[in-house]
Amino acid sequence: MNLLSNRFEVPYYAVIFTSQRTTGDQGYGQMADQMESMGRDQAGFLGIESYRESSGAGVTISYWKTLEDIRHWKSNPAHQIAQDKGKQTWYQSYSVKICKVERAYDFENM
């Protein structure tokens, strides 16, 4: 496994979004793809990793150069629509954590 987060020059920021989905897609997959595509075009975007279990529990980590870049993405009008839809329809619960990454390293046993 080659971890994405170890490819960036430190320091950088990670937005850790943990969630519990509601049942059914209800347009979630399409919106998630759209948000990832839009996020990639945002200033300061470095990358994204996402994992979801069959139970609906998931983690998405997006990586950014600065806190200001994160604020711009959070206030993006299309992203705000997705956030509202998430609260109304797609998520049973979620948590957001913003962390500064000051050191990153990895190990791979080949």
Side-chain angles (χ1 to χ4, degrees), residues 44-84:
F45 178 84
L46 297 173
I48 191 167
E49 298 174 303
S50 191
Y51 310 94
R52 178 130 344 248
E53 295 181 349
S54 59
S55 67
V59 177
T60 298
I61 307 169
S62 59
Y63 301 99
W64 301 86
K65 288 182 183 177
T66 69
L67 289 173
E68 188 64 23
D69 296 330
I70 295 168
R71 281 191 281 276
H72 281 126
W73 174 236
K74 181 168 176 46
S75 66
N76 176 292
H79 188 210
Q80 287 183 334
I81 291 169
Q83 291 171 57
D84 291 342

Side-chain angles (χ1 to χ4, degrees), residues 21-30 89-90:
R21 283 284 322 281
T22 56
T23 32
D25 183 81
Q26 303 162 345
Y28 175 83
Q30 182 179 354
T89 306
W90 296 320

Side-chain angles (χ1 to χ4, degrees), residues 1-107:
M1 173 190 271
N2 193 355
L3 298 175
L4 178 66
S5 61
N6 294 333
R7 298 181 190 163
F8 314 129
E9 185 178 329
V10 293
Y12 59 90
Y13 292 86
V15 177
I16 305 168
F17 180 81
T18 56
S19 63
Q20 179 64 49
R21 283 284 322 281
T22 56
T23 32
D25 183 81
Q26 303 162 345
Y28 175 83
Q30 182 179 354
M31 182 66 85
D33 290 344
Q34 182 182 353
M35 289 299 102
E36 183 173 339
S37 178
M38 287 181 62
R40 290 182 186 284
D41 293 336
Q42 295 292 302
F45 178 84
L46 297 173
I48 191 167
E49 298 174 303
S50 191
Y51 310 94
R52 178 130 344 248
E53 295 181 349
S54 59
S55 67
V59 177
T60 298
I61 307 169
S62 59
Y63 301 99
W64 301 86
K65 288 182 183 177
T66 69
L67 289 173
E68 188 64 23
D69 296 330
I70 295 168
R71 281 191 281 276
H72 281 126
W73 174 236
K74 181 168 176 46
S75 66
N76 176 292
H79 188 210
Q80 287 183 334
I81 291 169
Q83 291 171 57
D84 291 342
K85 181 76 171 174
K87 290 175 186 174
Q88 296 167 9
T89 306
W90 296 320
Y91 296 113
Q92 194 171 45
S93 62
Y94 69 79
S95 173
V96 178
K97 296 167 188 72
I98 300 173
C99 310
K100 183 177 184 180
V101 179
E102 296 181 346
R103 181 176 46 165
Y105 55 90
D106 57 296
F107 165 81

